[in-house]
Amino acid sequence: MAALRAFIERHPRLMVLTGAGVSTGCGIPDYRDASGAWKRSPPVRHQAFMASPATRQRYWARSLIGFRAIQQARPGPAHRALAALEARGRVTALVTQNVDGLHQRAGSRRVIDLHGRAEIVRCMGCGAQRMRHDLHAELAGANPHWLSLEAKVGPDGDADLDGLDFSTFRVPACPRCGDGIWKPDVVFFGDSVPRARVAAAFAALEAADALLVVGSSLMVQSGYRFARQAARAGQPIACINRGRTRADDLYALKVDAPVDATLTDLLAPG
């Protein structure tokens, strides 16, 4: 903790990069274990979702059950601590790989949602947007017998409903264009982060004194590239994360400890 406090004192303009470990204490599971390996099957890929009606039926059926975890989640100690650091002028930008919106709900204002926001859905045909809870209400009305199912919740609002027949699950098309595909306004695996969002994150990194990684294994290139860029630019990097990360050889400081307790202690006097 002394080394972490000293790092922040030496680098008062931090860009913070957060991952799933910030939200696991809020009831939203993560994808990877302490070694960086998958805990479960990888999530649906963008290409499969767009190409296969059966894949979309499976996705939305599981989401109808699993998304409750994100809807019910509340900001945890790590979210509140990072918002407090921003309020003290220590965080100039917060780039998150999470799609749960909990940083904003905790009070952070300088947030770049790298992978989008899960509570919004977008028509891939005409670009129409709606709130996800509105689509879920329509899904529930069209598939009422699915509401009684219970399953283990997975990351990003998924649920383990494997082994069921999804062929009768009804997924509505976009009413504005008639046949558009509804997709969460998030970056699926196999898709690319919008260029403007990436550019904004790199600009925020360039303006910062240092990078602080919190709760991310950085196994995905979309997050790892910021650690690589900071290292190339000679910007110091600190990390708070349990277990191995892809950028372990790039850090000036690594704190292998729970993020909630570490960030809470960091704000304590002394």
Side-chain angles (χ1 to χ4, degrees):
M1 287 306 304
L4 183 59
R5 286 193 179 96
F7 181 91
I8 292 176
E9 287 298 320
R10 289 195 305 272
H11 309 103
R13 295 172 54 82
L14 292 173
M15 184 179 110
V16 179
L17 175 63
T18 68
V22 173
S23 295
T24 52
C26 306
I28 302 175
D30 54 0
Y31 285 110
R32 299 179 186 272
D33 61 21
S35 67
W38 291 106
K39 290 181 178 179
R40 52 191 285 124
S41 298
V44 63
R45 295 186 66 83
H46 175 81
Q47 294 82 356
F49 183 90
M50 294 301 300
S52 169
T55 297
R56 295 193 293 274
Q57 287 175 304
R58 179 179 181 272
Y59 176 88
W60 285 115
R62 291 163 64 106
S63 179
L64 185 61
I65 307 303
F67 195 70
R68 298 166 185 167
I70 292 182
Q71 288 178 311
Q72 296 168 3
R74 299 293 180 267
H79 299 99
R80 293 192 292 270
L82 291 170
L85 280 174
E86 181 188 295
R88 296 179 184 183
R90 294 290 186 169
V91 175
T92 57
L94 191 156
V95 178
T96 183
Q97 300 172 91
N98 299 337
V99 297
D100 51 41
L102 292 178
H103 284 299
Q104 290 90 334
R105 292 171 65 184
S108 291
R109 294 292 176 261
R110 300 178 177 180
V111 181
I112 298 174
D113 294 296
L114 193 63
H115 295 157
R117 293 284 291 271
E119 76 268 28
I120 301 171
V121 294
R122 179 187 297 273
C123 172
M124 301 303 289
C126 67
Q129 288 183 301
R130 67 194 292 193
M131 297 305 296
R132 188 163 180 162
H133 65 76
D134 181 55
L135 176 60
H136 277 219
E138 188 174 357
L139 289 169
N143 306 278
H145 56 289
W146 288 80
L147 296 177
S148 61
L149 297 178
E150 295 185 3
K152 183 180 179 181
V153 173
D156 294 340
D158 192 17
D160 292 331
L161 291 178
D162 285 330
L164 300 181
D165 179 9
F166 300 102
S167 63
T168 61
F169 191 85
R170 295 173 58 196
V171 181
C174 171
R176 190 169 87 173
C177 64
D179 60 356
I181 295 171
W182 288 117
K183 175 182 173 292
D185 197 19
V186 302
V187 178
F188 280 8
F189 276 75
D191 198 4
S192 298
V193 179
R195 290 183 180 180
R197 210 176 291 165
V198 175
F202 274 125
L205 178 60
E206 185 177 0
D209 297 326
L211 175 64
L212 175 62
V213 178
V214 182
S216 177
S217 65
L218 298 181
M219 292 299 173
V220 179
Q221 177 66 21
S222 65
Y224 176 61
R225 58 182 156 191
F226 298 109
R228 288 186 61 192
Q229 176 58 29
R232 283 195 293 263
Q235 292 169 291
I237 310 170
C239 175
I240 308 169
N241 190 70
R242 295 303 302 267
R244 173 177 172 264
T245 85
R246 188 176 177 182
D248 279 350
D249 60 336
L250 302 180
Y251 304 137
L253 172 67
K254 183 176 180 184
V255 180
D256 192 332
V259 297
D260 281 341
T262 301
L263 286 171
T264 299
D265 290 348
L266 180 66
L267 292 176

